[in-house]
Amino acid sequence: MALLLAVALGAQPQPTTIPEMWSAWCARCHAQDGSGKIAEPTVTVEPMDFTDCRLTSAEPDADWERAIAKGGPGVGLSPEMPAFEDSLTPEQISGFVRHMRGFCTDRGWPSGNTNFPRPILTEKAFPENEFLVLPAISHDRNDVEIKALYERRVGKRSMFEIGVPVANDGVDELEAAVKHALVSNDRSIVSLGFETVLSSSLAIFEPFASAGTMLRDWYVQGQIKVELPTDRARADRAFVYNAYLGRDTSAAPTTWTIGVEINGENGELAFTPQVRKGLTGTGALAASLGVTIPINKREQRGVRWVGYWLWEYLEPWRARK
Amino acid sequence: MGRILALGILGALASAQVALAQSGSITGTITTAVTGQAPVRVTIDQKVCGSELPDEAIVVDARGRLANAVVTVAGLKRAGGRESMVMNEKCRFAPRVQVARPNGSVRTSSKDPVLHTTQAQYEDGRTIFNVGLPVPGITITKAVGRAATVRLHCNTHPWMRGWLVVTDEAAAVSGADGRFTIDNVPPGTYQLRIWHEALKSASQTITVVAGQHTDVKFELR
């Protein structure tokens, strides 16, 4: 049938391989080299530069597959990106994503597939460009803490962050941390980090390790950390361990993600059921809400409401019309 | 038994006849003094599209008779025809203008060996759908929602335009000779609305008499 059509159409050869299809179809708007720079564009929105590893390496394959299948609106982007789910097979669509990965020629960037949704308390392994506000409110005591956190990637695999917690009695602390993705592949990532908490009377050094992987459709993330105060009279050494299990309810960036964390500090254990939701079409804004419930030593520790409001500041907020 | 059946059929025929006789029809000619635009210079896919295409925003013949105007009988509901079809052929949408029904669907297909897209938008610019047609022979069916004027556009061939006038009212598109016909209109007084993609809309009040053609003339400017 396809052959008949090709013959009927005479000289015009139809592309048969993914690179040929890219040149014949996608390059119209994305350019042959994927840069999106076209001399005479027929669309008004300039697509993301796929040769810019800094941007593309943070994108999971699934988001690109969804963009190709559903068109721009499927991932909160411009409708000028057409939908191809009725004209291409899923294999062709993932073939395009593999082809597009080749536009970033620089190796060593951790795969965007390991850019898992951030748990509330477990430090994620993937380095991020994010701004966060994290409130924590004690359920039965009058205890409120709000932390502002700025994260920025450095180089291909590293990140630094600066956090300012504001508690009932004002600002008394400053947190600074660095993190480096040590090993990563298409599904898993392991990072090492070092955090320092400074207050007027004390410094606490907190080396940590974070890891994440996918088990079928489930996100599994974990973190271990030791807290080493400079003055043992003012603070105790602690061993902190967090684990998260969660999954998305849809493939859209606006999905709800449901999950639960186990949070341990020395002998104290708690769990934190939580939900997360992408707030804009692209998921550049997201929020999470959970509740930390002690499992043991309940008398000393109450229930706390926790969550975050997150802005991925390099991602467009929403479709430019 | 046979006689009764024969009588029954006769009776049915007779009453159909009466129903037709009881309704009238509206015919008319749409003209304009406005002339068409110069052809579009094609710079993309010339092998398939050619190097020049007529600008079909205003299709008018030497006597000023205007095609692609849509005449709607306000308030006269019409059912049926839930599926419309638009073909991408020689880098044009064919037909350029058609009537579609609310909550129906539109099928889009291509005969051209180049990538076309069919982007359907409301007049305020909101997109209803945008689908890629990379190879000829694929047909994609998409829903059209509420009554509205829907513009079709191809993101790879910017001159391509098509229109779906989505309405549940009786409507017709004028042909190359500027003529249109709307049959089966019950007697009464109606307002006709005329829409054209590039010219000012107009309206006119008419009276339909049973068993007669009501012929109207419009000039759009």
Side-chain angles (χ1 to χ4, degrees), chain A residues 188-200:
Chain A
S188 307
I189 181 167
V190 178
S191 295
L192 289 184
F194 192 88
E195 182 166 342
T196 309
V197 182
L198 293 171
S199 64
S200 47

Side-chain angles (χ1 to χ4, degrees), chain A residues 111-174:
Chain A
S111 160
N113 291 343
T114 62
N115 188 356
F116 303 127
R118 175 191 196 100
I120 298 176
L121 302 167
T122 308
E123 172 83 24
K124 74 187 250 189
F126 195 85
E128 274 289 14
N129 288 303
E130 281 176 357
F131 180 74
L132 291 115
V133 176
L134 300 110
I137 301 162
S138 159
H139 187 68
D140 36 33
R141 269 167 279 164
N142 188 19
D143 230 357
V144 180
E145 184 190 277
I146 297 176
K147 185 157 81 180
L149 198 59
Y150 172 76
E151 303 185 331
R152 177 145 202 113
R153 291 182 70 160
V154 186
K156 293 178 190 175
R157 308 178 72 87
S158 304
M159 183 197 96
F160 74 84
E161 73 177 40
I162 292 178
V164 182
V166 184
N168 289 13
D169 45 4
V171 181
D172 181 45
E173 270 180 17
L174 183 73

Side-chain angles (χ1 to χ4, degrees), chain B:
Chain B
M1 180 64 198
R3 287 245 304 266
I4 294 172
L5 195 69
L7 271 177
I9 290 173
L10 266 178
L13 278 176
S15 58
Q17 203 70 40
V18 170
L20 272 186
Q22 276 172 352
S23 65
S25 62
I26 307 168
T27 55
T29 310
I30 300 174
T31 57
T32 186
V34 180
T35 52
Q37 307 286 304
V40 184
R41 254 242 148 66
V42 174
T43 51
I44 306 161
D45 291 330
Q46 288 179 327
K47 264 196 206 145
V48 174
C49 308
S51 56
E52 213 178 70
L53 282 169
D55 184 318
E56 294 173 302
I58 297 173
V59 178
V60 63
D61 71 6
R63 290 158 63 183
R65 298 182 303 188
L66 180 70
N68 289 342
V70 178
V71 183
T72 309
V73 189
L76 180 60
K77 299 280 188 243
R78 269 292 142 89
R82 297 237 163 250
E83 198 162 272
S84 322
M85 171 82 201
V86 57
M87 181 59 75
N88 292 249
E89 191 174 4
K90 300 234 161 62
C91 307
R92 305 159 57 241
F93 287 117
R96 184 179 175 101
V97 178
Q98 62 184 305
V99 174
R101 296 300 178 199
N103 306 316
S105 56
V106 57
R107 292 189 297 152
T108 179
S109 186
S110 169
K111 291 186 179 171
D112 295 342
V114 292
L115 171 74
H116 284 304
T117 83
T118 305
Q119 180 176 17
Q121 285 171 291
Y122 291 118
E123 276 177 308
D124 64 5
R126 264 189 317 129
T127 296
I128 309 168
F129 60 82
N130 184 14
V131 293
L133 292 165
V135 289
I138 298 173
T139 301
I140 297 174
T141 306
K142 286 283 156 187
V144 290
R146 58 176 168 89
T149 306
V150 174
R151 192 182 65 195
L152 304 180
H153 170 84
C154 171
N155 295 112
T156 45
H157 304 97
W159 62 83
M160 289 176 68
R161 276 286 176 291
W163 299 88
L164 299 174
V165 176
V166 184
T167 173
D168 60 356
E169 294 169 327
V173 185
S174 66
D177 56 0
R179 297 285 297 166
F180 71 90
T181 306
I182 299 168
D183 284 327
N184 280 324
V185 183
T189 300
Y190 297 97
Q191 201 186 23
L192 289 190
R193 285 195 304 257
I194 298 89
W195 171 92
H196 184 275
E197 63 173 277
L199 302 175
K200 258 216 347 246
S201 298
S203 70
Q204 186 173 319
T205 304
I206 55 146
T207 300
V208 174
V209 180
Q212 287 184 21
H213 293 300
T214 305
D215 199 73
V216 291
K217 287 199 166 27
F218 276 108
E219 188 180 336
L220 293 189
R221 50 190 84 240

